[in-house]
Each structure stands twice: as structure tokens, then as C-alpha cells.
Amino acid sequence: MSKADEEKKSYSSVFLLAVALLLATAIWIVWDDQISRRPWKKYQYEFSEMQIDRAKAEVTAEQKRLDDSSDYQTVVEELREARQGTEGGETGAAISELSSREAAARIVFDDADFDLRLVKSQIEEAWYEFEHAELMHVDTTGPKHHLEELEAKKVATEARVAEAQARLDQILNEKEEIFSVVETLEKQKKEMESGLGRLEQNVEGLVIPVGPFEFPKIPKIQQVVLNEFDRNAYNQPLARVDRCTSCHTGINKDGFEDAEHPFRTHPDRKLYLGTHSVEKFGCTPCHQGQGPAVNSPEQAHGWVKHWLDPMYQGDDVQAGCIGCHDNVRIEGAETIALGEKLFEQVGCVGCHLVDGYGDLPKIGPYLRRVSAKVDADWLVDWVKNPHEFRPRTKMPNFYFDQAEAEAIAGYILASSAKEGEEWLASHPAPGGIDSSDAALVAKGAELADSLGCRGCHGLAPGESPALLGDSKDIAPNLGNIAEKANQRWMYHWLKNPRGYSPEARMPSLRLSDDEAKALVSYLGTLGEPAGSDDAATRDRLLDADNVAEGEALVRKYGCAGCHNIPGMEAESRIGVELSVFGSKPLEELFFGKRTDIPHTWKDWTYNKINEPRIYETDRIEQVMPHFALSEEDIDAILVFLASRQEAKVPEAYKLADRQREQALVDGLRVIEHYNCVGCHVINDQGGAILARYEENPSLGPPILNGEGAKVQSDWFYSFLKQPVPLRPWLKIRMPTFGVSDDEARKIVEYFAALEGIDSPFVHIDQAALSPEYVEAGKLLASVDYFSCYTCHQQGERKPEGPEEGWAPDLAMASERLNPDWIVEWIKDPQALMPGSRMPAFYDFSDDSPDGPDDVLGGNDLEQVKALRDYLLTLGSMPVAAAPVVADPERVEPAAMDQGTDGTASSETSNAAAPETVQVEG
Amino acid sequence: MLNFRMIAQSAALTLGAALVSTAAIAYEGGAVAGGGSIKGTVKFKGEAPAQEVLDVNKDKKVCAVGEKKSNELVVGADGGIRYAVVSLTNISKGKAFPEGESILDQAGCEYLPYIVIVPTGSELVIKNSDGILHNIHTYSDKNKAVNRAQPKFKKKIKESFAEPEMVKVTCDVHGWMKGWLAVVDHPYYVITDEKGAFELTDVPAGEYEIKVWQEKLGESTQKVTVAGGAEAAVTFELAAK
Ligand SMILES: [Cu+2]
């Protein structure tokens, strides 16, 4: 091809193609940049329209309401009439007449006013003439006379002005009176329309008016920046950016609860967003996901490959709570709270270390003396599959075969033989236990019912008074206890649980020998007593090879994680640490040969707990046992495990009052360890046993809501260490738990923290109380007024009638009660303790006086304060001294309660117990 | 897991529905022309138990006036049950409430009368004729529980109840004291006398369900037809539970 040809050739088609391509690409770029990767724009437009429609609908509705409102229509009509009236008719004529009179009066006034100003300037001139004459020493008579004339004229003119002013004012008043009707009506109308005005403003705030058109606001990325929330690989602080509200437009607005996603209002918005403002916390600290991503919902939610923190949905979000809250036993965090509780109490912590949960007490029974407790054949069956004997036990199933179970039972019996024998030697078989004596059994059953055993234990198969999640029992069900434990052991255990196991959670009920014998006789009827030849089985199990094999198994399966076993003191946890398990990448989870299980963290973990050996292969053995938990329980544990994250939330985002948080966590652990909530309602939780006292709640264990504000800490601490009966009418007995000093302190601080009390100490200066008030209080308490001692004790002064009719000892008030609480209590007992037998002497819901009018001027509040002051002067009873018990024989020598490990104090009211002075542990 | 919010909501709904339905069937009282009456007895089936003697163990000077017996189940010589409450369950229009206030007196550490009929919303006058401390402690499902002291110097207090139901009253000072308030939303309630007899008068002609309530024996209902100017007869038989 020649050059000329080349020049002649047309490239227009190529050029056109290039232009077309360029244009298409340009359009594509714009479309992609502005539309396809900006789904949030569409959402914001949609939401804007929705909001505008709603706002307009509200305007229409309000307009309709006004139109339908007869009040409003009356005002409108009256206003119209009043206005019309001013324009014509009689009123109109009156107004025009007044107007012409006003004009005339104004002329008169102006004239007089002008004259007055004139005469004033003339006076100025006359003064000058007069003073000038004086200065020149000429005759001043003329000027003086002139001045006096003018002064007289001024007085007269002033009178004229005043008169004209008065006339004008009168006319103006008359006029205003006519118009004020209109003004009042206008004001009324405006007030009625104020709601409408506000709603119209709402609409205006949502649109951009352009000429006669209205447009929705132009969408833009919405974002929250959390400064220094994250850390990079070099531990340098990074800001976190959450753009979630770019699409989730209605998340923090009321009224979109039923809207489609992503417009919907946050569930429980007040609870969750009210306490965590979106501006401060954004979304991903709780929800995870990919905060800055806005290209697609999948990306934003982190539902893409290799994104490590996909968004939590539903209750899983609660995994985010624990990053900032040490204490998750709070409203809205129920699932993680359950997960944490299960993790602590089902026994997970026995094998798996988790930061912050490492030093919890072992949850399984003490096995150092177990040879003295159980039937050997029972033990083999139990080890083989505990769920068979007790379906809701916390003890998991290890899938042992018969030989393994026998080996383990052999080792358990052999290792505990020595300490078991020693214990038996000092705990002889008691006489007088007879499960065939119907009367004795009935007495035992009655005691089991009334003492409060059912706060923790089910006494029949299937009875579960103290639930741990929904598949486990906190304390063993005793419906078949006779099969398991011998009666000699039961007797000594009931009398003094810490005498057998220094770790016992079971408290001492301060039983008399006879009570314990009756109870054991009754327990002996629950289930078939062990019928096996115990001695023969033991001989077989104690074979040295069997025991050695058992020891290896006990080590391999980590039994010592939950149980105290002789010879296993140095064993460490056998499971993997789970402190950051929630951050574990999918690649590190071993699915074995399972292809049927979806490859997600959640599915892996759920199946692992539900069927612990599920990923086992020929080469990889797994030892985790089966806990038989319900789906809900496993889900709750998953939420807890998901919360175990590598990333730590910076201090600035955590709950400010760390000390209170710690007090709540520590205290609740102790409270749950001893299951105080089996009997007591604490912080609105627990107290299941109260269902048995519906007929008369005052016979049940006291409700402890608000206890931290009620009692003095010193007293509370001493009481926990050594309970004394406060309510002689109760059959249910506050047991002696033998809490350590540390545990008692944690409980006291927990109750104070619940009430938000920083320093829970109270000092009462009796000398500083007003004698007048003390006297008045004493008078009020007397038989002529409130007659308090008809029911209340005061030290040795006891009320008439049987104990069940008595009320607490008022002599203890100054030691025990917070003075401020006494006032609140007297003001309205039912408000503080619903169902209390204490009646209200006053009604502060109205102003009418209720107290006697001849005491302190009949002032109710002052009378209440006087009662308080009087109570504070009553004899103080040393708390740590001999407890008040109904049976004087059960009172211990005072020297007995000094055990600092909390063991001796559990014995204090039972001198007959053989191990009274024995200090365990 | 139980959701507290759900429970609260359903409770509120139930309450709301209950309020609506109560409002819908609010009783309308007025003059009754050409009504009839229902007369009858409530009898005990089986061998009548003896009245339990109460242990008066406190404030004996005032309280131990004669032997006190429990009124929980009082059966007369001919088997009639005293202190049973007979009422019509499905009446929305009829006679007006009788004039006068309802009074519960605490005299000799007993409630007089044992059962008081109290129209809803009206004032119950509670007297203390003893000059010692008593307290009024009520147990109820629908009404707010009341526990008010009535010391010596308070001869009279007042209380009112919004919802119809049987409300138990006790005194925590004197464990044996017990009485009942029949809180009612129409006047066709009557308490049987010592022979177990009762009479409901001025009943508009029509068909009714009639109910008896006794604290120990429970409830029982029957159908009854009332003709103008006539007397319908009803007999209830209650057996121990
Ligand atoms: Cu009384």
C-alpha cells in the first residue's frame, strides 16, 4: 500500500468505534461508580421517600383530626364571627364611632401637648430675662411677674394634657376590649394548630424545595469514626470506621419497627442504643462485620470469604457485650449470661483454660474420701454413663465400656481408701435410722419439705428446682439417692458437709441429731437401696492391674479437672485453651472426615459440643465427653465462646465503673457457687422455692432485692459468716455455708454494688440523736399508738402468742439496719417487700395525715424519723456472740466461732456433732 | 428461654382485653318491674365436720371473749351451709345496689360480719371497735394487696376495691382472725344464713346461671329460670373436696 493510499483511507469507522467504546466505558464508569457500587444511595432515596410519605401522612392525619375536632371547629367559627363582627353590624359601628372619637381626642391631646411644650420654652425665656435683670441690677418686678404668670399657665396646661390623655386612654381601652376577643381566639387557634405546624416543619426538614418541586435530600455516606478503637500489627492505634447507617437509615429512629430491612428500627432500641449511642460506639463493636464496606450488603456484613469477623445476627450479637462489660448479667444480655454461667458451672473450665475463668473452684464432688460414701457397683455404672442414673447431672458421659468403667472405679476406690477409712473411724454409724419406720420417715419428709432442701435439690425423679440452663440441675436430684450413698455417710454429711469435704457447697442446716436421723430415714426411701454385695465387688475392683489401668484412664480423661482426687493434685487441664477461641480461623478447625457439616465456625463448634467425638478419625482420637445439653444451652455456650476474641476493646469504651463491675462479677460467682438464688430472690432473679409459699409469702425465705441498701455491711458480713435466726416464725432455715472471709466480703460488696453504694459503711452516733425525737418515737411505738411490741421482739422482751406470730427483734435494728432504709420501710413496707406481714401505718401517696395528731404536730414524716431514731437507741446485740436459737441446747460456746476458714462456724449450733472442733482443710 | 418482655406484653394485652370486656358488660342498675325471685339452700353432702375451735393466744383480755370457732365451714343441724356466697353470673341489668355503706368491724378480735359484700369502687368502712392494734391484710388476684395497720387511735379507715373477686382478709397480729370481702359488680349476691338459706329478690324474668362459692368446698353452678312474680327454687349440694 502506498503512502498516498494510506492518506486517503478513511479511519472514521475505527474512530467511531473508539468513540463509542470510550463513551460506553465512560458511562459504565459513571454508572458503576455512582450507582452499581452505591446501593446505599438507592436505600437512602427509598428511606427518604418513606419518611416524607410518613411525615405528610402525619400532617394529613393531624389536619383531619383538627377538622374532626369539634373544639377546634368551634374556635375557628367563633373567630370568624368575631372578625366579621369587627367589620360590620353593631360592633362595626361601635368600632368606627370609637375610631372617630379617638381621632378627635388625639387632636385635643396634641393641641394641649403643644401648648404645654410652648409654655415650657416661654418659661425658660422668662427665667433668662429675670436672671439677666438681677445681674444688671435693674428692676426685676416686671420679669418676675411675667414668670409667675407663665408658671400658672403651665399648671393649667398640664391639667389639660392629663385630661386629654385620660380621655384618649379610655377610648383605646374600649377599642382593645372589642379586639381582645379576637386575639384570645387567635391564640387558642394557634395553640391547637401547633402540632400541625411541627409536623409541617418535619416535612420541610426532609425535602429540598426547588421552585414548585420538592426533592429528597441527596444521599451521602453516613459514618461513625471510633478513634483508636483498633490496633494494627505493630500495636499502633487505628480508627475504626462504621458506615452501616448509610443503609440502615431507620436504625436509630422510632416508628420503623415494622419496616423492611435495611430501614427497620433496632430491636429494643431504647435498651440497646439508648445506652450505647451510635455516635460513640458505631455498630461493629457489638455486631462485627466490615464496617467501612458499602459496595454490597454481603461485603458490609462480612459475609465474604476470608473476612474473619462476619456479622453476628440475633442473640449472637451478645458475644459483643463482654468486650466492654465484665458483668453480663444485665438486661438484654440474657443469652451470653446463660452461656457464661453454663461454661463456668457445667464443668468446661475443668479442662479448658479461659482467661478470667481460670481460678474457679472445681465443680465435681470431692473424691478423697469417696470410698466411704458410695456403693461399688453403683460407682461402676455411674462412671459408665452417669446420665442413666441421673439424666440431668452435670457429670458428662465419657462413653466408657464396662472394663474401662471398672478400672476407673477401681482407681477411685483405691485412691480414696486411706482417707475414707480414717474418716469412717471418726464417724461411727449412728443408731436410730430406720427407713421402715413410717412415722420417722414422715417426719424426715416433713423436714425436707420445710427446711428448704428443695431450694436446691429435687426430691423425686424429674423434679428440678434449681435449673442450670434447661438441661442440667445445679444440685443433684435426690429421687434415687438410696441407691447411691450409704446411710452412715448421709447422716454425717447432712450434719456437717464440710466435715466430709472441705470444698462442700452444701451448707450445714444446723440439724439436731434427731432431725438428721429422720432426714436420712426419709432419704433411705428414695429409690431402691443398693442390693449388691459391695464387699465382693470392691475386692474385684481393687485388683492392682485394674487400679493401674484406671489410674492411666483418670489421667488421660482429665478427671482431676473437676474432682479432687488423691495423687492427682499436680494434674493440669487436658483440653486446649479457649481464651481466644472466638477468633479461631476456620482453617484451624479440624473437621475430620465430616463433609456433611457446613464449614463455619458456628457449625463446627455446635457439633463439637453436641457430639464431642464427631470429628474423630482412625488417627486422631478425641476424648471430650458428652454433656447432653439442649440446643438452647449449646447456643448460649456458643455465644460465650464467640466472645473470646483476640482483639481487646480499649479502656475508653468500657463501662466506666470498673470497680463496681468487678464487685458484681466476683460476688455473683460466690452467690451462684452456693446457689443463694435457690431460695432468695436477688436482683429480681431466682427464689424458685417461693412458689411453694404462694399462700403466705412471709413464711418463705426473705426476698433480698435491695438488701445492700437495707442492712449494714458489718452486720451482713458477720451474719454470712455465722447466720442467726432473725425470723423465729420461719420453718425454712438459713443454713451456715461456712463462707470464707473473702467470700463473705465479696457477697457484701456485691449487694452494695447492686445498689450503687460506693462505701457501704454506716456509723450511728446514738448520742447525737435528738432526745425529743427519741421520746416521740418511743411514744409512737407504745401500746397507746402503734403498739409495735404486740408483734416485735425487743431483746429479751418477747411478744405474746406463738413464735410464728412474731416479728424481728427491734433491738437488732441499730446493728443491722441502715437508718435511711428504716425510714423507707416504715413509709411503705409493701413497696420494699411485697407480701410482708408488716402493715403500713402511713400512706404517703396523699397529703392527708395518718399518724396521731398529738405527736410532733401530727407530721407523718417527722413521726417516721422519730420512730427511726428511737429504734437506733434500742439495745445493741453483739452479732458474733451466741446466736438466738429456739432450742437453748443447740447454742454453742461463744469461743467456737473463730475459725477463719469458715469451717468451724458451720458447726456452731450443734454441740453434738462429733467434728465440732475439727478444722478441715 | 422465657422472655420477660413477652410475658409483660401478653399480660398487658390480657389486662387490656379484660378491661375492655369488663367495660363492655358493665352492670346497669335501676328499677325492676315484674321481676321474680330465687330462693334456695346450700347443703353439705356427707357427714358434717365440727367447727374447729380457734386458739386465742394473744391480747386475751380483749380477744378471749367466749370460745371462738372457725367459720371456714359451718354446717347447721339440717345440713345447711352458712357463709356460702350465692350469685348470678350472667346479669348485666337489674336492680340498683342497696343504699348504705359496707362495714367490716373488728370486734373481740373477730371480723363482723365474716363475709362482707363490697360493690366495686365503693368505700368499705373498716372499724376497730377493740382499741388494740389490728391490721387489714388482704390476699387477692385482681386487686392490689392491702396491708394497713389500724392502731388503737384509728377507729375507722376506708378502703376500696376495683375488681370483683373474693378477697381474703387476715390480721397478722392475731393469727386466727380471718374474713372475706365479696367484691361485686352487681347486687345479685347473697350470703347464706345459719340454715344455708338464701334469697335473691327483684330478679328480672329470664334465664340465669347461678353460682355458689364456699371457701373450703369450692364452686358449683346451675341454670335457673325466673318468671315474673314467681319464686324459683334452687338447691345446691356441696361435698368436701
Ligand atoms: Cu387483729
Side-chain angles (χ1 to χ4, degrees):
Chain A
M1 209 184 278
S2 75
K3 205 179 170 195
D5 287 345
E6 181 70 34
E7 279 170 359
K8 280 181 196 159
K9 193 175 171 194
S10 164
Y11 279 95
S12 61
S13 59
V14 177
F15 187 64
L16 186 71
L17 192 70
V19 168
L21 202 66
L22 203 64
L23 188 68
T25 315
I27 291 171
W28 176 52
I29 287 173
V30 172
W31 184 78
D32 188 46
D33 192 53
Q34 291 302 309
I35 298 160
S36 82
R37 294 195 301 134
R38 299 279 189 277
W40 49 273
K41 283 193 173 177
K42 188 173 129 265
Y43 290 139
Q44 284 191 23
Y45 272 125
E46 263 181 60
F47 187 70
S48 275
E49 271 165 32
M50 198 151 69
Q51 264 186 310
I52 293 166
D53 287 351
R54 273 177 194 226
K56 283 186 174 165
E58 275 172 2
V59 170
T60 318
E62 177 66 10
Q63 187 66 58
K64 188 174 179 316
R65 191 187 68 79
L66 287 178
D67 290 349
D68 292 350
S69 152
S70 57
D71 285 355
Y72 178 73
Q73 293 305 336
T74 315
V75 170
V76 171
E77 187 54 26
E78 277 174 8
L79 182 62
R80 196 182 54 78
E81 274 172 17
R83 275 193 185 136
Q84 237 171 29
T86 58
E87 282 156 16
E90 236 172 79
T91 326
I95 290 172
S96 60
E97 197 238 306
L98 275 171
S99 297
S100 53
R101 271 172 58 203
E102 183 194 341
R106 263 189 208 285
I107 293 170
V108 175
F109 173 81
D110 288 348
D111 283 351
D113 192 48
F114 180 80
D115 288 351
L116 181 61
R117 271 180 285 162
L118 186 69
V119 82
K120 277 182 182 164
S121 64
Q122 284 172 338
I123 286 172
E124 289 297 307
E125 188 195 354
W127 264 110
Y128 172 79
E129 294 292 343
F130 173 70
E131 280 171 356
H132 185 73
E134 258 186 347
L135 211 65
M136 293 290 137
H137 300 290
V138 294
D139 183 14
T140 57
T141 323
K144 193 177 178 197
H145 182 68
H146 183 53
L147 189 60
E148 281 166 357
E149 263 179 12
L150 283 173
E151 286 287 356
K153 197 176 170 192
K154 182 186 161 207
V155 172
T157 317
E158 275 175 344
R160 262 177 66 209
V161 170
E163 199 193 336
Q165 175 82 60
R167 203 171 301 155
L168 184 61
D169 284 351
Q170 201 201 338
I171 294 167
L172 287 175
N173 271 341
E174 279 177 44
K175 237 177 134 177
E176 201 186 294
E177 225 164 80
I178 294 175
F179 281 106
S180 77
V181 179
V182 175
E183 266 169 37
T184 316
L185 285 168
E186 270 174 348
K187 218 169 125 190
Q188 272 182 11
K189 180 166 175 270
K190 210 170 161 189
E191 227 160 70
M192 288 174 149
E193 287 169 346
S194 68
L196 186 65
R198 252 197 326 273
L199 293 171
E200 280 168 349
Q201 271 177 4
N202 284 352
V203 177
E204 283 160 26
L206 291 169
V207 296
I208 306 170
V210 179
F213 303 106
E214 287 174 341
F215 292 98
K217 295 225 159 132
I218 295 164
K220 58 177 184 203
I221 294 260
Q222 305 290 326
Q223 66 181 23
V224 180
V225 179
L226 286 78
N227 282 319
E228 308 201 351
F229 192 87
D230 290 321
R231 299 248 151 197
N232 66 10
Y234 307 101
N235 203 27
Q236 289 164 321
L238 288 179
R240 179 179 284 204
V241 177
D242 278 0
R243 294 178 172 156
C244 316
T245 46
S246 299
C247 297
H248 292 279
T249 40
I251 203 81
N252 201 12
K253 292 188 174 71
D254 275 335
F256 297 92
E257 287 78 7
D258 300 322
E260 292 291 312
H261 282 304
F263 311 120
R264 192 178 293 178
T265 306
H266 197 289
D268 276 327
R269 189 179 78 87
K270 291 255 151 55
L271 171 64
Y272 290 109
L273 302 188
T275 43
H276 309 84
S277 75
V278 177
E279 294 72 29
K280 179 173 180 194
F281 292 98
C283 308
T284 56
C286 302
H287 283 271
Q288 306 274 37
Q290 199 177 169
V294 286
N295 289 358
S296 75
E298 288 70 32
Q299 287 181 32
H301 293 155
W303 295 330
V304 284
K305 218 173 177 185
H306 303 308
W307 185 258
L308 292 177
D309 310 309
M311 195 189 107
Y312 294 138
Q313 285 179 296
D315 286 347
D316 291 358
V317 180
Q318 293 176 21
C321 300
I322 225 162
C324 303
H325 293 266
D326 291 337
N327 169 38
V328 288
R329 310 297 171 90
I330 46 177
E331 196 188 349
E334 288 76 10
T335 306
I336 189 163
L338 174 65
E340 185 193 49
K341 186 175 174 177
L342 285 164
F343 190 82
E344 287 180 7
Q345 293 194 33
V346 165
C348 311
V349 286
C351 292
H352 298 284
L353 179 66
V354 167
D355 240 0
Y357 300 83
D359 50 4
L360 296 172
K362 293 189 177 192
I363 67 128
Y366 185 77
L367 299 184
R368 302 190 77 91
R369 293 168 173 160
V370 73
S371 70
K373 172 181 176 182
V374 297
D375 177 77
D377 279 307
W378 175 88
L379 183 59
V380 173
D381 290 346
W382 174 259
V383 171
K384 214 172 141 193
N385 181 7
H387 300 155
E388 201 141 288
F389 179 73
R390 219 173 248 166
R392 297 174 60 88
T393 181
K394 288 181 276 191
M395 169 92 168
N397 180 4
F398 286 81
Y399 305 113
F400 291 130
D401 61 26
Q402 182 70 23
E404 287 172 320
E406 286 190 1
I408 290 170
Y411 177 73
I412 297 293
L413 290 175
S415 65
S416 62
K418 183 168 168 280
E419 289 183 46
E421 286 305 322
E422 284 167 7
W423 185 82
L424 282 175
S426 59
H427 293 77
I433 294 172
D434 185 356
S435 293
S436 61
D437 179 342
L440 193 59
V441 167
K443 187 187 160 199
E446 207 277 315
L447 282 169
D449 253 355
S450 61
L451 287 176
C453 306
R454 283 193 154 102
C456 295
H457 295 285
L459 296 176
E463 189 182 306
S464 293
L467 300 172
L468 178 56
D470 60 15
S471 30
K472 301 282 125 182
D473 286 339
I474 285 177
N477 179 298
L478 302 181
N480 47 8
I481 186 67
E483 258 173 85
K484 172 189 177 184
N486 65 63
Q487 297 196 333
R488 176 177 177 182
W489 176 85
M490 279 196 238
Y491 174 81
H492 292 293
W493 168 257
L494 284 176
K495 291 272 311 200
N496 178 23
R498 289 276 170 100
Y500 170 79
S501 157
E503 300 166 359
R505 296 163 79 177
M506 164 97 171
S508 158
L509 283 143
R510 303 183 298 275
L511 299 172
S512 70
D513 291 358
D514 286 345
E515 286 172 332
K517 283 171 188 172
L519 271 169
V520 174
S521 302
Y522 161 68
L523 292 174
T525 65
L526 302 181
E528 288 291 312
S532 69
D533 185 353
D534 190 51
T537 311
R538 276 176 198 247
D539 274 352
R540 185 162 54 78
L541 296 178
L542 290 174
D543 167 73
D545 288 347
N546 190 49
V547 170
E549 197 184 314
E551 179 171 359
L553 287 168
V554 166
R555 277 188 214 285
K556 178 178 169 189
Y557 286 94
C559 306
C562 292
H563 299 280
N564 190 333
I565 303 170
M568 298 281 169
E569 292 79 1
E571 292 294 297
S572 52
R573 290 183 171 88
I574 64 153
V576 293
E577 184 177 342
L578 300 177
S579 293
V580 293
F581 184 73
S583 299
K584 199 158 188 150
L586 207 48
E587 296 70 35
E588 288 179 29
L589 298 174
F590 178 68
F591 280 85
K593 291 178 180 162
R594 301 304 291 240
T595 49
D596 54 330
I597 292 165
H599 272 52
T600 70
W601 180 95
K602 210 175 157 179
D603 285 291
W604 187 90
T605 314
Y606 180 90
N607 285 290
K608 177 71 188 171
I609 300 174
N610 191 42
E611 216 186 313
R613 311 274 169 90
I614 194 168
Y615 307 119
E616 196 165 57
T617 65
D618 296 342
R619 289 183 55 231
I620 309 285
E621 189 189 8
Q622 298 192 315
V623 295
M624 177 158 151
H626 183 233
F627 287 85
L629 293 164
S630 72
E631 203 175 308
E632 286 78 19
D633 286 351
I634 298 179
D635 282 342
I637 292 176
L638 289 192
V639 172
F640 174 76
L641 288 174
S643 77
R644 304 292 94 202
Q645 294 282 334
E646 230 161 301
K648 298 283 172 263
V649 175
E651 287 297 320
Y653 290 90
K654 291 190 176 182
L655 211 60
D657 195 344
R658 314 291 294 156
Q659 205 181 334
R660 177 169 183 265
E661 285 275 282
Q662 198 57 51
L664 292 173
V665 171
D666 291 346
L668 197 60
R669 275 194 185 153
V670 180
I671 283 167
E672 287 185 347
H673 181 71
Y674 291 110
N675 195 32
C676 306
V677 286
C679 290
H680 297 287
V681 175
I682 298 174
N683 196 19
D684 288 327
Q685 305 285 318
I689 202 173
L690 282 168
R692 306 178 66 83
Y693 297 90
E694 260 169 11
E695 179 90 342
N696 194 348
S698 62
L699 295 182
I703 290 169
L704 301 185
N705 286 338
E707 189 75 0
K710 174 180 180 179
V711 295
Q712 297 177 29
S713 294
D714 289 347
W715 176 88
F716 194 10
Y717 180 88
S718 307
F719 179 80
L720 287 166
K721 295 287 290 180
Q722 187 192 341
V724 291
L726 299 172
R727 299 172 176 81
W729 63 90
L730 294 189
K731 282 188 176 166
I732 191 162
R733 207 175 279 177
M734 168 72 181
T736 305
F737 285 88
V739 292
S740 69
D741 291 355
D742 193 44
E743 287 171 330
R745 178 184 59 76
K746 283 174 174 169
I747 294 174
V748 171
E749 286 174 359
Y750 172 77
F751 279 97
L754 276 184
E755 302 305 309
I757 298 167
D758 283 340
S759 171
F761 302 104
V762 177
H763 173 70
I764 294 159
D765 185 359
Q766 292 182 331
L769 298 169
S770 143
E772 187 205 349
Y773 272 55
V774 172
E775 268 314 302
K778 187 174 180 182
L779 186 62
L780 284 168
S782 75
V783 73
D784 285 329
Y785 291 95
F786 294 166
S787 200
C788 304
Y789 297 110
T790 303
C791 299
H792 283 285
Q793 316 163 61
Q794 185 210 333
E796 286 313 302
R797 177 175 169 187
K798 304 294 181 198
E800 265 189 288
E803 277 188 9
E804 57 258 31
W806 295 3
D809 188 347
L810 296 182
M812 293 182 73
S814 63
E815 285 276 342
R816 178 172 169 245
L817 300 175
N818 274 326
D820 294 344
W821 182 88
I822 297 177
V823 170
E824 294 309 311
W825 172 249
I826 298 174
K827 279 168 82 174
D828 189 358
Q830 297 298 315
L832 297 185
M833 202 187 280
S836 168
R837 297 197 295 183
M838 168 82 169
F841 287 81
Y842 297 92
D843 177 4
F844 280 90
S845 68
D846 58 35
D847 289 337
S848 65
D850 301 294
D853 46 21
D854 54 352
V855 180
L856 293 174
N859 183 316
D860 286 355
L861 187 58
E862 297 310 307
Q863 289 181 9
V864 173
K865 289 179 185 167
L867 279 163
R868 172 199 61 192
D869 290 356
Y870 164 65
L871 290 178
L872 295 178
T873 64
L874 294 180
S876 55
M877 206 172 70
V879 184
V884 180
V885 287
D887 178 0
E889 283 172 21
R890 300 211 323 250
V891 180
E892 272 300 290
M896 262 314 304
D897 63 76
Q898 303 307 322
T900 47
D901 64 338
T903 311
S905 59
S906 68
E907 319 278 351
T908 45
S909 50
N910 200 331
E915 55 281 330
T916 301
V917 289
Q918 179 185 343
V919 178
E920 303 286 348
Chain B
M1 226 170 108
L2 280 178
N3 182 329
F4 174 75
R5 193 165 295 101
M6 270 172 59
I7 297 172
Q9 281 170 354
S10 48
L13 275 177
T14 320
L15 187 68
L19 287 176
V20 168
S21 58
T22 351
I25 55 152
Y27 179 77
E28 195 185 316
V32 172
S37 66
I38 306 170
K39 224 172 169 176
T41 46
V42 180
K43 291 200 177 288
F44 186 75
K45 198 174 172 185
E47 195 168 333
Q51 260 175 286
E52 192 193 330
V53 177
L54 298 170
D55 179 19
V56 177
N57 47 31
K58 221 171 173 179
D59 288 326
K60 287 183 190 163
K61 235 182 188 168
V62 178
C63 303
V65 280
E67 194 180 52
K68 280 201 198 327
K69 285 183 175 172
S70 161
N71 286 328
E72 285 181 352
L73 180 54
V74 186
V75 181
D78 50 353
I81 300 172
R82 195 178 184 185
Y83 300 127
V85 181
V86 178
S87 62
L88 298 182
T89 64
N90 56 343
I91 187 160
S92 56
K93 200 176 171 186
K95 67 180 171 185
F97 278 105
E99 304 263 314
E101 51 195 6
S102 322
I103 299 171
L104 177 67
D105 193 8
Q106 298 158 100
C109 307
E110 260 184 82
Y111 291 115
L112 298 176
Y114 182 62
I115 304 177
V116 188
I117 292 179
V118 188
T120 49
S122 73
E123 270 184 344
L124 168 70
V125 177
I126 304 164
K127 289 186 182 172
N128 180 354
S129 305
D130 282 339
I132 55 168
L133 174 71
H134 289 295
N135 70 317
I136 291 290
H137 193 165
T138 68
Y139 296 80
S140 54
D141 293 330
K142 297 177 190 161
N143 291 287
K144 197 172 160 268
V146 173
N147 185 0
R148 293 173 66 186
Q150 195 166 8
K152 182 176 179 175
F153 66 90
K154 279 207 175 164
K155 299 274 174 245
K156 215 173 171 186
I157 58 174
K158 287 177 176 175
E159 195 57 66
S160 77
F161 299 85
E163 298 297 325
E165 69 171 319
M166 294 300 301
V167 176
K168 188 173 89 173
V169 181
T170 65
C171 173
D172 295 302
V173 183
H174 308 105
W176 65 85
M177 287 178 71
K178 180 181 164 190
W180 290 89
L181 307 173
V183 183
V184 304
D185 55 0
H186 65 74
Y188 295 98
Y189 275 81
V190 63
I191 294 155
T192 54
D193 64 15
E194 59 280 3
K195 289 177 181 155
F198 66 87
E199 184 176 11
L200 289 164
T201 57
D202 288 327
V203 184
E207 277 188 26
Y208 298 100
E209 187 184 66
I210 187 167
K211 180 170 94 173
V212 61
W213 172 94
Q214 207 285 336
E215 58 176 301
K216 283 280 162 200
L217 309 177
E219 293 181 351
S220 168
T221 55
Q222 294 186 16
K223 294 264 181 256
V224 60
T225 305
V226 177
E231 196 175 81
V234 168
T235 306
F236 283 106
E237 274 209 334
L238 295 175
K241 282 207 271 195

